[in-house]
Amino acid sequence: MPASSVKEMAVIGAGTMGAGIAYTAAVNGIDVFQIDVADTALDRARSYHAKTFDRSVQKQRLAAEDAKAAAARITYTASMAEAKTAGWVVEAATEAVDLKKKIFGQMAEVFAPGVVLATNTSSISITDIAAAVPDRAERVIGMHFFNPVPVMKLVEVIRGLATTDATVTETIALAERMGKTAIPANDRAGFVSNRVLMPMINEAFYAWMEGVAEPEHIDEIMKLGCNFPMGPLRLADFIGLDVCHDIMMVLHRELGQDKYFPCPKLRQLVVAGRLGDKTGGGVYASG
Ligand code: NAD
């Protein structure tokens, strides 16, 4: 397979995932526009990048001059238009189908025809998102990274109904250039990873709500008993409780079974604004 020749990438959304994708692209020699509508998110991404570059140098994963060069490759902006020269776009905004469709409509206006419009959605149908840009649907694809992006090796690659073979091939090549292993999954809600993971996390909230055990014990049992590196409630704090909730809502709506309805305990924390590590507390008091 030919190596990816992407020079400039736009990453839309500077939250947990967008910041990680931008960092990983920059470290692998790609110029990045990190875009977000919220200044606070851009500031957080900037400080996350500074910290992550520092840590990589300390741990000798990156030479100091390479870290400096990679940091200089990232431009932070609230304007999608500023990124119009980019040859690849990854959308990593909030997990809401209407929002993503709106953003894809804007992307189709800003970026040149032929540019791949990828989404990092965890659960929403790629075909559904592509329907917002019917003239560009063959270049729309799911490029699902995992958290934390600089560390996690997997990219789940999901083609929509109209996605071409060329788009898939280029996506796999780019994922590999970013140091990842690309594995295909079909376009059903949650794909493979979240179809399996999220109901388990949701069930852990039920176990907590029903008093089967306290969160610490639920997590320790799953760690020691199932050899998980992290218990499901701790993982939920790490992912973001709002993200877990939104994914369950998509599974519920698309797969049409009650078992996918978000646990009331999960909903309660989300409504209270306790979203996990990103807000300084979720299931646990701090991340
Ligand atoms: P997040 O809440 O940390 O960040 C989302 C960002 O999108 C916010 O900063 C928000 O300001 C921004 N945003 C909202 N509307 C926007 C717009 N119109 N233009 C630009 N930016 C906009 O969420 P996240 O955890 O980074 O998740 C982002 C996407 O990645 C979601 O689709 C999610 O399902 C997916 N995902 C999340 C994880 C995870 O572990 N958190 C893993 C894989 C995939």
Side-chain angles (χ1 to χ4, degrees), residues 163-222:
T163 311
T164 56
D165 290 345
T167 305
V168 174
T169 306
E170 289 167 46
T171 304
I172 294 170
L174 177 60
E176 288 176 354
R177 180 167 163 204
M178 291 172 74
K180 306 302 178 197
T181 301
I183 303 188
N186 285 328
D187 191 20
R188 289 281 284 156
F191 321 124
V192 171
S193 51
N194 284 311
R195 175 77 177 263
V196 176
L197 173 66
M198 281 302 153
M200 187 196 67
I201 287 179
N202 202 44
E203 204 59 35
F205 277 93
Y206 274 111
W208 176 24
M209 188 177 82
E210 292 170 10
V212 179
E214 290 304 312
E216 293 80 358
H217 291 154
I218 292 170
D219 280 345
E220 278 304 301
I221 285 168
M222 296 307 287

Side-chain angles (χ1 to χ4, degrees), residues 6-14 17-19 21-23 25-26 30-36 73-77 79-93 103-104 107 110-112 115-120 143 145 174 178:
V6 171
K7 290 191 182 62
E8 281 184 332
M9 179 192 284
V11 179
I12 299 173
M17 294 304 290
I21 295 165
Y23 175 90
I30 299 168
D31 290 336
V32 184
F33 294 95
Q34 173 91 77
I35 303 162
D36 204 292
R73 282 187 202 112
I74 308 177
T75 303
Y76 302 85
T77 178
S79 158
M80 200 188 288
E82 199 181 323
K84 66 175 189 287
T85 51
W88 195 281
V89 192
V90 181
E91 172 277 317
I103 293 173
F104 266 72
M107 282 155 63
V110 168
F111 298 101
V115 169
V116 168
L117 309 177
T119 172
N120 185 53
M143 192 177 190
F145 291 87
L174 177 60
M178 291 172 74

Side-chain angles (χ1 to χ4, degrees), residues 11-19 21 35-38 40-42 44 78 80 91-96 99-100 102-103 106 119-124 144-148 194 198 235 238-240 242-243 246-247 275 278:
V11 179
I12 299 173
T16 310
M17 294 304 290
I21 295 165
I35 303 162
D36 204 292
V37 286
T40 47
L42 290 172
R44 261 203 312 268
M80 200 188 288
E91 172 277 317
T94 313
E95 185 79 345
L99 174 69
K100 290 198 188 283
K102 189 177 122 209
I103 293 173
Q106 294 164 347
T119 172
N120 185 53
T121 179
S122 305
S123 59
I124 299 169
H144 184 206
F145 291 87
F146 288 73
N147 185 19
N194 284 311
M198 281 302 153
L235 180 58
F238 185 63
I239 292 171
D242 53 337
V243 175
D246 292 346
I247 294 171
L275 306 183
K278 65 184 162 188

Side-chain angles (χ1 to χ4, degrees), residues 27 38-39 54 65 106 117 230 249 269 279:
V27 163
D39 286 344
D54 280 352
E65 61 271 26
Q106 294 164 347
L117 309 177
M230 197 186 274
M249 290 299 284
L269 291 173
T279 56

